[in-house]
Short mmCIF file of all heavy atoms in Angstrom, two decimals:
data_model
loop_
_atom_site.label_atom_id
_atom_site.label_comp_id
_atom_site.label_asym_id
_atom_site.label_seq_id
_atom_site.Cartn_x
_atom_site.Cartn_y
_atom_site.Cartn_z
N VAL L 80 34.46 -33.32 22.35
CA VAL L 80 35.02 -34.52 22.64
C VAL L 80 34.17 -35.33 23.60
O VAL L 80 33.99 -36.55 23.55
CB VAL L 80 36.39 -34.36 23.22
CG1 VAL L 80 36.98 -35.57 23.63
CG2 VAL L 80 37.21 -33.68 22.13
N ARG L 81 33.69 -34.65 24.61
CA ARG L 81 32.77 -35.33 25.63
C ARG L 81 31.60 -36.06 24.98
O ARG L 81 31.27 -37.15 25.28
CB ARG L 81 32.36 -34.32 26.77
CG ARG L 81 31.55 -35.07 27.81
CD ARG L 81 31.06 -34.03 28.87
NE ARG L 81 32.12 -33.33 29.48
CZ ARG L 81 32.00 -32.08 29.72
NH1 ARG L 81 31.05 -31.37 29.46
NH2 ARG L 81 33.13 -31.45 30.32
N GLU L 82 31.02 -35.24 24.19
CA GLU L 82 29.70 -35.76 23.51
C GLU L 82 30.11 -37.09 22.67
O GLU L 82 29.42 -38.07 22.82
CB GLU L 82 29.07 -34.82 22.67
CG GLU L 82 27.64 -35.16 22.38
CD GLU L 82 27.02 -34.18 21.31
OE1 GLU L 82 27.51 -33.14 21.21
OE2 GLU L 82 26.15 -34.70 20.64
N ALA L 83 31.19 -36.97 21.97
CA ALA L 83 31.55 -38.22 21.13
C ALA L 83 31.95 -39.31 22.02
O ALA L 83 31.70 -40.52 21.74
CB ALA L 83 32.79 -37.73 20.32
N GLN L 84 32.60 -39.05 23.13
CA GLN L 84 33.11 -40.16 24.06
C GLN L 84 31.93 -40.79 24.62
O GLN L 84 31.88 -42.01 24.79
CB GLN L 84 33.95 -39.59 25.16
CG GLN L 84 35.42 -39.46 24.69
CD GLN L 84 36.25 -38.80 25.78
OE1 GLN L 84 35.75 -38.38 26.84
NE2 GLN L 84 37.64 -38.91 25.62
N GLU L 85 30.84 -40.07 25.10
CA GLU L 85 29.72 -40.61 25.76
C GLU L 85 29.03 -41.46 24.75
O GLU L 85 28.53 -42.51 25.16
CB GLU L 85 28.83 -39.44 26.28
CG GLU L 85 29.26 -39.01 27.64
CD GLU L 85 28.55 -37.82 28.16
OE1 GLU L 85 27.56 -37.36 27.56
OE2 GLU L 85 29.03 -37.27 29.24
N SER L 86 28.93 -41.08 23.48
CA SER L 86 28.24 -41.87 22.46
C SER L 86 28.95 -43.25 22.41
O SER L 86 28.43 -44.29 22.24
CB SER L 86 28.24 -41.17 21.13
OG SER L 86 27.51 -40.05 21.29
N LYS L 87 30.38 -43.12 22.19
CA LYS L 87 31.10 -44.43 22.09
C LYS L 87 30.84 -45.29 23.24
O LYS L 87 30.76 -46.38 23.02
CB LYS L 87 32.63 -44.05 22.10
CG LYS L 87 33.07 -43.95 20.59
CD LYS L 87 34.65 -43.83 20.59
CE LYS L 87 35.05 -43.14 19.28
NZ LYS L 87 36.31 -42.49 19.50
N LYS L 88 30.87 -44.69 24.52
CA LYS L 88 30.71 -45.53 25.68
C LYS L 88 29.42 -46.37 25.56
O LYS L 88 29.34 -47.51 25.85
CB LYS L 88 30.61 -44.64 26.88
CG LYS L 88 31.80 -44.88 27.94
CD LYS L 88 31.73 -44.08 29.09
CE LYS L 88 32.75 -43.07 29.19
NZ LYS L 88 32.51 -42.01 30.10
N LYS L 89 28.31 -45.70 25.15
CA LYS L 89 27.08 -46.30 25.12
C LYS L 89 27.06 -47.37 24.04
O LYS L 89 26.46 -48.43 24.23
CB LYS L 89 25.99 -45.21 24.67
CG LYS L 89 25.50 -44.46 25.98
CD LYS L 89 24.43 -43.44 25.59
CE LYS L 89 24.27 -42.43 26.64
NZ LYS L 89 23.56 -41.29 26.16
N ILE L 90 27.75 -47.17 22.89
CA ILE L 90 27.75 -48.23 21.86
C ILE L 90 28.63 -49.41 22.40
O ILE L 90 28.03 -50.54 22.16
CB ILE L 90 28.51 -47.49 20.49
CG1 ILE L 90 27.52 -46.61 19.97
CG2 ILE L 90 28.76 -48.67 19.59
CD1 ILE L 90 28.21 -45.78 18.88
N ILE L 91 29.67 -49.13 23.15
CA ILE L 91 30.36 -50.32 23.68
C ILE L 91 29.59 -51.03 24.72
O ILE L 91 29.42 -52.35 24.67
CB ILE L 91 31.63 -49.79 24.38
CG1 ILE L 91 32.69 -49.24 23.24
CG2 ILE L 91 32.32 -50.90 25.05
CD1 ILE L 91 33.87 -48.55 23.74
N LEU L 92 28.89 -50.27 25.50
CA LEU L 92 27.98 -50.94 26.61
C LEU L 92 26.92 -51.80 25.90
O LEU L 92 26.59 -52.90 26.30
CB LEU L 92 27.23 -49.77 27.36
CG LEU L 92 28.09 -49.29 28.59
CD1 LEU L 92 27.25 -48.14 29.30
CD2 LEU L 92 28.19 -50.51 29.66
N SER L 93 26.28 -51.23 24.74
CA SER L 93 25.38 -51.96 24.06
C SER L 93 25.84 -53.21 23.54
O SER L 93 25.23 -54.23 23.63
CB SER L 93 24.76 -51.10 22.91
OG SER L 93 24.24 -51.75 21.92
N ALA L 94 27.11 -53.25 22.93
CA ALA L 94 27.67 -54.44 22.41
C ALA L 94 27.92 -55.41 23.60
O ALA L 94 27.69 -56.68 23.39
CB ALA L 94 28.96 -54.08 21.72
N MET L 95 28.44 -54.85 24.77
CA MET L 95 28.62 -55.67 25.84
C MET L 95 27.23 -56.44 26.36
O MET L 95 27.31 -57.64 26.62
CB MET L 95 29.26 -55.02 26.99
CG MET L 95 30.77 -54.84 26.82
SD MET L 95 31.51 -53.69 28.06
CE MET L 95 30.95 -54.40 29.57
N ALA L 96 26.25 -55.69 26.42
CA ALA L 96 24.98 -56.11 26.85
C ALA L 96 24.57 -57.35 25.95
O ALA L 96 24.09 -58.43 26.37
CB ALA L 96 23.84 -55.05 26.76
N ALA L 97 24.81 -57.23 24.59
CA ALA L 97 24.40 -58.27 23.61
C ALA L 97 25.25 -59.46 23.86
O ALA L 97 24.77 -60.52 23.76
CB ALA L 97 24.54 -57.69 22.14
N GLY L 98 26.52 -59.20 24.07
CA GLY L 98 27.54 -60.30 24.27
C GLY L 98 27.17 -61.13 25.51
O GLY L 98 26.98 -62.32 25.45
N LEU L 99 26.98 -60.36 26.67
CA LEU L 99 26.68 -61.01 27.97
C LEU L 99 25.34 -61.92 27.73
O LEU L 99 25.32 -62.89 28.44
CB LEU L 99 26.52 -60.01 29.01
CG LEU L 99 27.86 -59.47 29.48
CD1 LEU L 99 27.65 -58.18 30.58
CD2 LEU L 99 28.63 -60.55 30.19
N THR L 100 24.47 -61.32 27.04
CA THR L 100 23.11 -62.00 26.90
C THR L 100 23.35 -63.41 26.31
O THR L 100 22.79 -64.31 26.84
CB THR L 100 22.17 -61.10 25.94
OG1 THR L 100 22.08 -59.88 26.57
CG2 THR L 100 20.86 -61.86 25.84
N ILE L 101 24.26 -63.46 25.38
CA ILE L 101 24.38 -64.56 24.58
C ILE L 101 25.17 -65.57 25.52
O ILE L 101 24.75 -66.80 25.73
CB ILE L 101 25.20 -64.48 23.29
CG1 ILE L 101 24.31 -63.72 22.39
CG2 ILE L 101 25.64 -65.78 22.78
CD1 ILE L 101 24.92 -63.13 21.10
N ILE L 102 26.14 -65.07 26.26
CA ILE L 102 26.92 -65.90 27.11
C ILE L 102 26.03 -66.47 28.25
O ILE L 102 26.14 -67.69 28.71
CB ILE L 102 28.03 -65.06 27.84
CG1 ILE L 102 29.06 -64.73 26.71
CG2 ILE L 102 28.72 -65.88 29.04
CD1 ILE L 102 30.11 -63.64 27.18
N ALA L 103 24.97 -65.68 28.75
CA ALA L 103 24.09 -66.14 29.76
C ALA L 103 23.17 -67.12 29.24
O ALA L 103 22.70 -68.02 29.87
CB ALA L 103 23.44 -64.96 30.42
N ALA L 104 22.67 -66.98 27.99
CA ALA L 104 21.50 -67.75 27.53
C ALA L 104 21.95 -69.16 26.99
O ALA L 104 21.26 -70.08 27.13
CB ALA L 104 20.73 -66.96 26.46
N VAL L 105 23.18 -69.12 26.27
CA VAL L 105 23.53 -70.36 25.56
C VAL L 105 23.66 -71.56 26.63
O VAL L 105 23.10 -72.61 26.19
CB VAL L 105 24.96 -70.12 24.88
CG1 VAL L 105 25.43 -71.38 24.43
CG2 VAL L 105 24.62 -69.29 23.67
N PRO L 106 24.28 -71.34 27.78
CA PRO L 106 24.31 -72.62 28.68
C PRO L 106 22.99 -73.11 29.06
O PRO L 106 22.78 -74.33 29.17
CB PRO L 106 24.98 -71.94 29.87
CG PRO L 106 25.71 -70.82 29.48
CD PRO L 106 24.98 -70.21 28.37
N LEU L 107 22.02 -72.19 29.09
CA LEU L 107 20.63 -72.63 29.51
C LEU L 107 20.18 -73.54 28.38
O LEU L 107 19.49 -74.66 28.63
CB LEU L 107 19.66 -71.50 29.62
CG LEU L 107 19.91 -70.60 30.88
CD1 LEU L 107 19.02 -69.34 30.79
CD2 LEU L 107 19.54 -71.34 32.09
N PHE L 108 20.30 -73.18 27.08
CA PHE L 108 19.86 -73.99 26.00
C PHE L 108 20.57 -75.30 25.96
O PHE L 108 20.07 -76.35 25.66
CB PHE L 108 20.14 -73.25 24.66
CG PHE L 108 19.22 -72.03 24.52
CD1 PHE L 108 19.73 -70.81 24.07
CD2 PHE L 108 17.84 -72.22 24.73
CE1 PHE L 108 18.87 -69.81 23.86
CE2 PHE L 108 16.96 -71.10 24.62
CZ PHE L 108 17.49 -69.91 24.18
N LEU L 109 21.99 -75.33 26.16
CA LEU L 109 22.82 -76.46 26.23
C LEU L 109 22.31 -77.52 27.29
O LEU L 109 22.10 -78.62 27.02
CB LEU L 109 24.25 -76.17 26.40
CG LEU L 109 24.91 -75.46 25.21
CD1 LEU L 109 26.43 -75.15 25.64
CD2 LEU L 109 24.98 -76.39 23.95
N LEU L 110 22.18 -76.92 28.50
CA LEU L 110 21.67 -77.78 29.62
C LEU L 110 20.30 -78.43 29.30
O LEU L 110 20.30 -79.64 29.44
CB LEU L 110 21.51 -76.90 30.94
CG LEU L 110 22.81 -76.58 31.66
CD1 LEU L 110 22.46 -75.72 32.86
CD2 LEU L 110 23.54 -77.85 32.03
N SER L 111 19.38 -77.62 28.74
CA SER L 111 18.08 -78.15 28.42
C SER L 111 18.18 -79.28 27.47
O SER L 111 17.33 -80.23 27.36
CB SER L 111 17.21 -77.04 28.01
OG SER L 111 17.43 -76.70 26.72
N GLY L 112 19.23 -79.16 26.60
CA GLY L 112 19.34 -80.22 25.62
C GLY L 112 20.10 -81.43 25.98
O GLY L 112 19.88 -82.60 25.61
N MET L 113 21.11 -81.16 26.96
CA MET L 113 22.06 -82.25 27.31
C MET L 113 21.55 -83.14 28.50
O MET L 113 21.86 -84.37 28.55
CB MET L 113 23.40 -81.64 27.58
CG MET L 113 24.16 -81.45 26.20
SD MET L 113 25.54 -80.39 26.30
CE MET L 113 26.08 -80.65 27.95
N LEU L 114 21.10 -82.44 29.43
CA LEU L 114 20.78 -83.16 30.72
C LEU L 114 19.50 -83.96 30.74
O LEU L 114 18.57 -83.65 30.08
CB LEU L 114 20.77 -82.23 31.98
CG LEU L 114 22.16 -81.43 32.26
CD1 LEU L 114 21.86 -80.62 33.50
CD2 LEU L 114 23.19 -82.51 32.45
N ALA L 115 19.59 -85.03 31.47
CA ALA L 115 18.29 -85.84 31.59
C ALA L 115 17.39 -85.02 32.55
O ALA L 115 17.84 -84.73 33.64
CB ALA L 115 18.57 -87.15 32.04
N MET L 116 16.26 -84.66 32.09
CA MET L 116 15.29 -83.94 33.02
C MET L 116 13.88 -84.11 32.45
O MET L 116 13.65 -84.56 31.33
CB MET L 116 15.65 -82.54 33.18
CG MET L 116 15.56 -81.74 31.84
SD MET L 116 15.98 -79.96 32.01
CE MET L 116 17.74 -80.02 32.20
N GLU L 117 12.94 -83.67 33.31
CA GLU L 117 11.56 -83.79 32.80
C GLU L 117 11.40 -82.73 31.61
O GLU L 117 12.08 -81.77 31.64
CB GLU L 117 10.54 -83.28 33.97
CG GLU L 117 10.69 -84.11 35.28
CD GLU L 117 9.89 -85.46 35.03
OE1 GLU L 117 9.03 -85.51 34.22
OE2 GLU L 117 10.16 -86.42 35.81
N ASN L 118 10.37 -83.10 30.89
CA ASN L 118 10.15 -82.19 29.68
C ASN L 118 9.72 -80.80 30.19
O ASN L 118 10.22 -79.80 29.51
CB ASN L 118 8.94 -82.67 28.78
CG ASN L 118 9.63 -83.53 27.72
OD1 ASN L 118 10.80 -83.38 27.31
ND2 ASN L 118 8.84 -84.51 27.24
N TRP L 119 8.99 -80.64 31.19
CA TRP L 119 8.56 -79.23 31.58
C TRP L 119 9.73 -78.46 32.07
O TRP L 119 9.74 -77.25 31.86
CB TRP L 119 7.48 -79.37 32.67
CG TRP L 119 7.99 -79.91 34.00
CD1 TRP L 119 7.83 -81.16 34.47
CD2 TRP L 119 8.56 -79.18 35.05
NE1 TRP L 119 8.34 -81.34 35.68
CE2 TRP L 119 8.80 -80.04 36.17
CE3 TRP L 119 8.97 -77.85 35.26
CZ2 TRP L 119 9.52 -79.76 37.32
CZ3 TRP L 119 9.58 -77.51 36.52
CH2 TRP L 119 9.90 -78.50 37.52
N MET L 120 10.68 -79.10 32.56
CA MET L 120 11.99 -78.52 33.00
C MET L 120 12.76 -77.97 31.90
O MET L 120 13.26 -76.87 31.86
CB MET L 120 12.93 -79.28 33.92
CG MET L 120 12.74 -79.02 35.42
SD MET L 120 13.88 -79.77 36.33
CE MET L 120 15.22 -78.59 36.35
N ARG L 121 12.82 -78.80 30.87
CA ARG L 121 13.48 -78.46 29.59
C ARG L 121 12.87 -77.17 28.98
O ARG L 121 13.58 -76.22 28.66
CB ARG L 121 13.32 -79.65 28.63
CG ARG L 121 14.68 -80.13 28.14
CD ARG L 121 14.31 -81.14 27.03
NE ARG L 121 14.21 -82.56 27.60
CZ ARG L 121 15.32 -83.25 27.91
NH1 ARG L 121 16.53 -82.67 27.86
NH2 ARG L 121 15.25 -84.40 28.33
N ILE L 122 11.58 -77.26 28.96
CA ILE L 122 10.82 -76.02 28.33
C ILE L 122 11.08 -74.81 29.20
O ILE L 122 11.25 -73.70 28.66
CB ILE L 122 9.35 -76.41 28.17
CG1 ILE L 122 9.14 -77.58 27.27
CG2 ILE L 122 8.57 -75.20 27.91
CD1 ILE L 122 7.80 -78.15 27.15
N LEU L 123 11.03 -74.96 30.51
CA LEU L 123 11.24 -73.89 31.40
C LEU L 123 12.59 -73.21 31.11
O LEU L 123 12.74 -71.97 31.08
CB LEU L 123 11.06 -74.31 32.86
CG LEU L 123 11.15 -73.18 33.97
CD1 LEU L 123 9.91 -72.37 33.81
CD2 LEU L 123 11.18 -73.73 35.34
N LEU L 124 13.68 -74.08 31.01
CA LEU L 124 14.96 -73.60 30.68
C LEU L 124 15.05 -72.76 29.52
O LEU L 124 15.71 -71.75 29.38
CB LEU L 124 16.00 -74.70 30.78
CG LEU L 124 16.51 -75.19 32.11
CD1 LEU L 124 17.61 -76.35 31.88
CD2 LEU L 124 17.09 -74.13 32.96
N ILE L 125 14.38 -73.38 28.39
CA ILE L 125 14.37 -72.68 27.06
C ILE L 125 13.63 -71.31 27.21
O ILE L 125 14.16 -70.32 26.67
CB ILE L 125 13.68 -73.51 26.06
CG1 ILE L 125 14.70 -74.74 25.79
CG2 ILE L 125 13.48 -72.82 24.73
CD1 ILE L 125 14.10 -75.77 24.91
N ILE L 126 12.59 -71.32 27.94
CA ILE L 126 11.69 -70.08 28.12
C ILE L 126 12.67 -68.96 28.85
O ILE L 126 12.67 -67.82 28.44
CB ILE L 126 10.40 -70.30 28.97
CG1 ILE L 126 9.58 -71.08 27.97
CG2 ILE L 126 9.84 -68.96 29.29
CD1 ILE L 126 8.26 -71.42 28.77
#
Side-chain angles (χ1 to χ4, degrees):
V80 172
R81 180 183 301 138
E82 200 188 332
Q84 274 178 348
E85 277 169 7
S86 296
K87 259 190 208 153
K88 240 182 258 169
K89 281 183 194 157
I90 291 170
I91 292 169
L92 273 176
S93 159
M95 277 170 56
L99 282 175
T100 302
I101 292 167
I102 292 171
V105 164
L107 290 172
F108 291 131
L109 288 179
L110 281 178
S111 72
M113 278 160 40
L114 294 184
M116 62 176 80
E117 301 279 342
N118 267 339
W119 67 265
M120 260 192 89
R121 239 186 267 285
I122 291 166
L123 186 68
L124 279 181
I125 291 172
I126 291 174

